[in-house]
Amino acid sequence: MNHFDFKKQQPVILNWIRSKEKETNDIVSNKNAVRSLIDLATNWFEHFKFKLGTETVESLTTIFRMVHSWLKGSYTDLSQPTLFYIGIALLYCVSPVDVIPDCLLGIGLLDDIFVVGWVIQKISKEIIKFRNWERIQNSSEILQILNCSEINEVLLCPGWLSEETDYSSLQEKYAQLYPNATISFFHWKSNVLWSEAQENIDGPVSDELLSWMRQRSSQSKFVLVGHSLGGRLVIRALAKNASRINKIGKNQKTFSIQQKQIEPDHILLMGSAIDFDDVDIETISRQATHFNYNFFNKSDRVLGYLYQSFEQKSPLGLNGLQRTMPNFLDIKMSGTEEYFWEVAGNTAFILSFIKSKIPFSKIPLSLEWKKQFADYHQHQFDQYTDFFQRCLILKQ
């Protein structure tokens, strides 16, 4: 057994799969047969899952949920080819006679893992599609309390390097989502070095946003939407608002008027570039009477690599709150399995100029390159908005 050569067994495994094509097709064409196979596979999985590895366990768990949802009729996007591949993998795993008996210590599951891995690779896009469907279903339930038609104003707060970005298509999307609202952008000096942009937000820029809020009438229903550093901006402004209210004094009447005047109906944080444990998050959680919806995305590698590398902290927009807080609701947009890292060179270049002292305006970096970089790494304002839009459509 010490000289076991698994590569020599792979053609044998593939021949087994070919020999089971008809049986598999018969099973997947009959829902009762599929249920029986799922039951057998679940028992096999529970017995061996501690030996399969994290990625295999997560993928198989997703596959079980996907098939169960399809059997119940709630998920209708499961194609026959995908169902066939799932069937062949599960049939191999539960088969009493396979190439390497499961009871063999150390190597008994090698063939099962090979087949499951091969199938996961074949249907990876279908797994991702189902996980997105699941998240939209869950997020739609969280967003049930929103009444977008009652909103008068929506202020979009974009993030870093956004001064020259064309957001006209984004504005149109929010006009559809909030049909009776005026959609506008909060413009700020963002095309500067990362550290300078943070300082701007923590100081004068958040003061400017607070001033905008104070100008709203007590009858106005407005929404703040912050993306990336724009999320940090919204949090800083709301925290300053909370501190201001606390300093008004003991006059309850004055406190109530001032609070009502500048309290948003709700806020949307999308891929926020702020530490998940920042003290201002707790401040607005305690003080706010509105809901704060935090859209986080584990596939956002701008946050996952750049932010974490530079700040040495986990950002709110990548991993969520990681705790329960009043008036804050996490909405998971995507998982790490939906991203494939391929551009380490580009990342190294980004890091080099973030940490440099060269003014941003002197860096020969095209706007199109920046857009493509953010788009590829799942950090675009549009991508978060599209997910929000799909959740609201389902809610309706």
Side-chain angles (χ1 to χ4, degrees):
M1 290 298 176
N2 292 333
H3 303 288
F4 181 83
D5 188 353
F6 179 66
K7 287 185 177 180
K8 292 182 179 180
Q9 304 302 319
Q10 292 180 14
V12 181
I13 295 171
L14 295 175
N15 285 335
W16 185 98
I17 290 173
R18 282 189 283 268
S19 72
K20 296 293 181 177
E21 286 184 7
K22 184 182 184 306
E23 183 179 350
T24 304
N25 278 319
D26 290 342
I27 290 173
V28 300
S29 61
N30 183 319
K31 285 195 172 184
N32 288 329
V34 172
R35 287 189 184 92
S36 298
L37 179 59
I38 286 290
D39 289 342
L40 289 172
T42 301
N43 290 333
W44 175 90
F45 175 75
E46 290 298 325
H47 186 72
F48 291 111
K49 65 181 179 182
F50 300 108
K51 301 178 181 179
L52 295 176
T54 303
E55 291 184 8
T56 303
V57 167
E58 288 181 356
S59 295
L60 277 174
T61 303
T62 301
I63 287 171
F64 290 144
R65 294 198 311 272
M66 180 163 60
V67 176
H68 279 302
S69 297
W70 173 77
L71 287 170
K72 288 188 296 184
S74 55
Y75 185 65
T76 58
D77 240 359
L78 185 59
S79 66
Q80 280 299 117
T82 298
L83 196 55
F84 172 82
Y85 280 119
I86 292 172
I88 203 75
L90 300 185
L91 188 62
Y92 188 89
C93 290
V94 303
S95 175
V97 180
D98 53 12
V99 175
I100 308 173
D102 294 343
C103 61
L104 292 182
L105 185 64
I107 62 171
L109 292 177
L110 285 179
D111 54 335
D112 303 87
I113 292 172
F114 171 78
V115 173
V116 170
W118 174 71
V119 165
I120 289 170
Q121 186 179 36
K122 288 284 186 181
I123 66 170
S124 59
K125 291 183 179 179
E126 297 297 320
I127 291 175
I128 290 171
K129 185 168 68 174
F130 173 74
R131 283 171 172 161
N132 285 335
W133 176 84
E134 271 189 319
R135 290 173 188 134
I136 290 171
Q137 300 291 315
N138 296 334
S139 301
S140 180
E141 293 178 10
I142 294 173
L143 295 167
Q144 282 292 336
I145 63 174
L146 286 186
N147 192 342
C148 296
S149 62
E150 294 183 353
I151 302 302
N152 308 123
E153 291 183 86
V154 176
L155 184 66
L156 306 178
C157 304
W160 187 42
L161 311 179
S162 61
E163 288 183 64
E164 300 172 66
T165 304
D166 181 7
Y167 284 121
S168 56
S169 63
L170 189 70
Q171 196 166 8
E172 291 174 5
K173 290 178 183 177
Y174 280 95
Q176 294 173 2
L177 296 172
Y178 295 91
N180 300 316
T182 300
I183 315 297
S184 56
F185 281 91
F186 185 83
H187 299 285
W188 62 286
K189 189 177 180 182
S190 65
N191 285 20
V192 293
L193 290 175
W194 172 258
S195 56
E196 186 179 346
Q198 286 183 307
E199 290 172 4
N200 288 344
I201 281 177
D202 294 346
V205 177
S206 52
D207 290 335
E208 291 172 19
L209 178 55
L210 183 56
S211 176
W212 180 93
M213 292 167 61
R214 288 176 184 171
Q215 294 169 22
R216 304 309 101 189
S217 71
S218 58
Q219 287 76 37
S220 176
K221 283 196 170 187
F222 66 92
V223 173
L224 301 178
V225 184
H227 170 251
S228 193
L229 271 183
R232 182 190 185 102
L233 168 60
V234 169
I235 289 171
R236 290 285 184 259
L238 288 173
K240 287 182 178 181
N241 175 39
S243 298
R244 174 179 173 271
I245 291 171
N246 288 335
K247 293 177 182 178
I248 287 176
K250 296 182 179 180
N251 189 321
Q252 185 62 36
K253 182 179 178 182
T254 305
F255 176 87
S256 299
I257 292 172
Q258 295 292 345
Q259 184 184 36
K260 187 176 181 181
Q261 183 180 359
I262 56 176
E263 181 83 356
D265 183 86
H266 58 272
I267 68 171
L268 306 176
L269 302 171
M270 300 187 165
S272 293
I274 186 171
D275 295 348
F276 80 98
D277 58 354
D278 190 279
V279 65
D280 280 352
I281 297 174
E282 186 173 347
T283 298
I284 64 174
S285 172
R286 289 197 314 267
Q287 297 287 342
T289 59
H290 59 269
F291 272 108
N292 308 281
Y293 297 96
N294 177 50
F295 291 77
F296 71 101
N297 177 8
K298 288 180 176 290
S299 292
D300 189 328
R301 305 321 294 173
V302 171
L303 294 177
Y305 193 87
L306 298 183
Y307 187 96
Q308 288 192 139
S309 296
F310 190 63
E311 300 294 334
Q312 297 297 305
K313 292 293 288 288
S314 175
L316 182 66
L318 180 70
N319 295 311
L321 289 164
Q322 303 180 36
R323 63 203 185 280
T324 302
M325 298 185 72
N327 302 315
F328 255 98
L329 294 172
D330 264 341
I331 296 179
K332 186 178 181 180
M333 175 177 151
S334 186
T336 52
E337 74 282 345
E338 288 146 44
Y339 178 82
F340 301 94
W341 188 251
E342 294 178 357
V343 288
N346 287 344
T347 302
F349 172 62
I350 288 283
L351 279 174
S352 68
F353 81 72
I354 286 177
K355 296 183 177 181
S356 74
K357 297 181 180 180
I358 303 172
F360 178 78
S361 59
K362 295 183 180 180
I363 296 173
L365 190 64
S366 71
L367 290 173
E368 184 61 26
W369 190 92
K370 286 183 292 183
K371 179 183 181 302
Q372 289 176 356
F373 185 86
D375 186 62
Y376 187 83
H377 294 292
Q378 309 294 309
H379 190 64
Q380 283 285 25
F381 204 163
D382 267 315
Q383 291 167 324
Y384 283 88
T385 299
D386 287 344
F387 182 83
F388 175 53
Q389 188 175 39
R390 290 196 296 272
C391 294
L392 289 188
I393 290 172
L394 183 63
K395 181 173 84 77
Q396 296 167 359

